[in-house]
Every structure is written in C-alpha cells, then in structure tokens.
Amino acid sequence: MKEHIILIGMPGCGKTSFGRDIAKQLGVELYDTDEFLEKMQGKSIPDIFQEEGEDRFRKYETESLRAVLKKGPAVIATGGGIVKLPENRELMKNGGTVVFIDRPLDNIFSDVDTESRPLLSQNKERLQSLYEERYDLFVETADLRVVNDRCYEEVLEEIVETVKDIVEGAE
C-alpha cells in the first residue's frame, strides 16, 4: 500500500470500527486522530473542549492529522469535525484516498454514546445542525462516499473492495 486510506464522517458513523477492520484486512496500521490527539495532549477531548475550547481543540486536531500523515501508509480514522478547517481538508486530499462514511442521522443518534462526545451531548437538534454544517464539506473532501445503512459486514466489504482497487491501482 503506497498511500493512506482516510476515513471521514459524522461522529458515530463507524470510522474507528471500520478503520480497525480495514487496517487488519489490508495489513497496515490504524491511526485514530482523536486517540492520537489525546495522547499528544495528555488529556481527553471533553477536557480539552471544557478547559481550552473548540478553537484550541481544532488546532490540536490539525497537529494530530499532520503527525499521522507522516507515518507509513495506514488507515486513518478522523474526528467528525476535522473537515471544518480548510487546511485539514487539503491535508487529507493530498494525503491519500478519503472515504466518507455517510450514516443516517437516526442510526447515529439511536446508538451513539453522546456523553463522551462533547458536541453531541446536547441533543438531536445539535446533531442535525452539525450534520448540515459538515455534510457538504464531507462530500467535497471525499474521493469515495459509502452509505452506512446496511449491516456492518456489507459496508465493510464495500469499503475494503473499493479501497483495495484504489490502492492496487496506485502501486
């Protein structure tokens, strides 16, 4: 594999879960930018939001993205709001194949633990607002859009087969 596979989408769309399984099937590392960010900063994302605010968090997010893009080819699961900054969108577009996991909002809201997600902890209207704010940015950034409205295994197979074709074409 010569380039990264970068997963984007709303919080709760499955980026980390799919990322783990895609990385395993492709035989590469998985980097989760949120986990990487927490390790770099030594505190949780909710704590960063509370103590330093969203603007500072977004700066840390860019630093995290830059750091994982410097590593060998991998699958990268990103935070849901990473597309908000033009710099991040450009980094991802230049860093590999960007896959937008598009999951219906009702599915996200029905099974996402909103307590651990600062921007989702408010209510369903907030989730809808974030979706409307970010949707066009996801579409603009992505090389591939996969709708996550079927069983997990079917969606995983679609992503793996598609990115395998892209990755093999790049070699």
Side-chain angles (χ1 to χ4, degrees):
M1 192 164 113
K2 291 188 175 186
E3 64 175 40
H4 298 292
I5 303 298
I6 303 165
L7 306 177
I8 63 172
M10 288 294 291
C13 73
K15 297 179 298 284
T16 301
S17 298
F18 286 119
R20 189 173 305 121
D21 290 333
I22 294 165
K24 185 184 292 182
Q25 288 191 31
L26 296 177
V28 297
E29 291 292 319
L30 167 69
Y31 296 105
D32 181 306
T33 58
D34 283 348
E35 289 176 9
F36 202 85
L37 185 156
E38 287 180 330
K39 286 179 185 159
M40 283 176 57
Q41 298 307 315
K43 54 179 128 175
S44 72
I45 290 171
D47 286 347
I48 293 169
F49 264 81
Q50 184 175 12
E51 296 168 15
E52 302 183 52
E54 184 176 357
D55 288 345
R56 174 54 68 189
F57 168 77
R58 295 291 169 209
K59 287 185 171 88
Y60 293 152
E61 191 172 49
T62 300
E63 292 171 15
S64 174
L65 177 61
R66 282 185 182 285
V68 297
L69 285 170
K70 288 179 182 172
K71 297 184 176 291
V75 175
I76 300 171
T78 63
I82 202 160
V83 295
K84 288 180 70 173
L85 296 181
E87 178 180 3
N88 292 344
R89 294 193 302 273
E90 193 65 28
L91 285 167
M92 290 185 290
K93 285 170 97 62
N94 292 329
T97 299
V98 182
V99 180
F100 170 28
I101 301 173
D102 189 0
R103 186 171 187 214
L105 284 183
D106 287 340
N107 295 5
I108 292 173
F109 205 75
S110 69
D111 68 8
V112 171
D113 171 19
T114 58
E115 291 301 311
S116 64
R117 312 222 183 200
L119 293 178
L120 297 186
S121 62
Q122 293 143 8
N123 56 38
K124 192 171 187 173
E125 290 76 26
R126 178 65 174 147
L127 181 63
Q128 179 69 41
S129 172
L130 290 174
Y131 183 80
E132 290 168 4
E133 170 188 305
R134 298 173 181 177
Y135 189 83
D136 289 342
L137 298 174
F138 291 136
V139 171
E140 169 194 320
T141 307
D143 297 303
L144 168 69
R145 177 179 161 259
V146 176
V147 179
N148 180 7
D149 63 353
R150 296 158 282 152
C151 76
Y152 180 86
E153 290 75 20
E154 287 178 27
V155 177
L156 176 63
E157 183 179 338
E158 179 183 346
I159 297 170
V160 169
E161 288 307 310
T162 306
V163 299
K164 262 188 186 175
D165 291 343
I166 292 169
V167 169
E168 288 170 1
E171 292 183 21

